[in-house]
Amino acid sequence: MSEYSSMLSDLSENITNEDLEQLKSACKEDIPEDQSNSITCSRDWFSYLENNDKLARDDLSYIEHIFEISRRPDLLTRVIEYRTTVLKISEDDEIDTKLTRIPSAKKYKDIIRQPSEDEIIKLAPPPKKA
């Protein structure tokens, strides 16, 4: 079994039917309802994503995003571990690759952070009316 297949199998074992419904809901814009109804287990979900170019051995950004917004850090951690150990792609390296179609929240940290006192533009008070 390839490391990619092994990772998917590991993820599948940790996705309950309730989790699956939540994951399908998180990607409802990408899976038509009639096809979503035919997905009854996590392996079906992974197969659908692979067949529709949302998931590949070297393209995990979609499921990373789905696990992130579904609040499943345990699954996200497994995918990131695969990406960094097997594919040898770190978070920093990923910025310059095709895998950044869906950026993780971590990449927004510089945008979200509060500016320091030195970075704040200080405005003069408005002129007083005579």
Side-chain angles (χ1 to χ4, degrees):
M1 181 184 283
S2 74
E3 291 179 84
Y4 172 71
S5 297
S6 178
M7 177 200 59
L8 291 183
S9 177
D10 181 45
L11 292 171
S12 292
E13 290 172 13
N14 290 284
I15 296 174
T16 66
N17 287 339
E18 185 179 313
D19 295 333
L20 180 62
E21 291 306 313
Q22 184 178 5
L23 296 172
K24 290 188 324 184
S25 176
C27 50
K28 64 183 171 200
E29 293 176 10
D30 298 309
I31 302 177
E33 189 175 342
D34 60 324
Q35 293 180 338
S36 180
N37 292 336
S38 67
I39 296 172
T40 58
C41 67
S42 53
R43 292 182 194 280
D44 293 345
W45 184 66
F46 288 127
S47 293
Y48 179 87
L49 297 178
E50 287 174 325
N51 293 336
N52 289 277
D53 299 322
K54 297 287 184 195
L55 175 64
R57 187 191 73 77
D58 62 347
D59 186 358
L60 307 165
S61 58
Y62 187 81
I63 63 170
E64 285 183 22
H65 175 69
I66 296 301
F67 292 156
E68 188 174 349
I69 64 174
S70 299
R71 293 185 178 92
R72 287 302 306 264
D74 56 323
L75 302 178
L76 178 60
T77 300
R78 287 183 167 101
V79 174
I80 291 172
E81 185 178 293
Y82 169 85
R83 177 169 40 88
T84 55
T85 58
V86 177
L87 298 180
K88 307 280 191 249
I89 300 172
S90 69
E91 193 77 27
D92 294 335
D93 295 337
E94 186 178 358
I95 292 170
D96 298 324
T97 69
K98 69 175 185 165
L99 299 179
T100 58
R101 287 190 292 266
I102 304 172
S104 67
K106 192 173 184 179
K107 293 185 187 107
Y108 289 113
K109 68 181 181 201
D110 290 333
I111 297 170
I112 296 171
R113 72 174 176 76
Q114 294 297 318
S116 69
E117 283 295 317
D118 297 336
E119 296 171 312
I120 295 175
I121 299 171
K122 299 208 186 316
L123 300 174
K128 295 191 180 198
K129 293 189 178 184

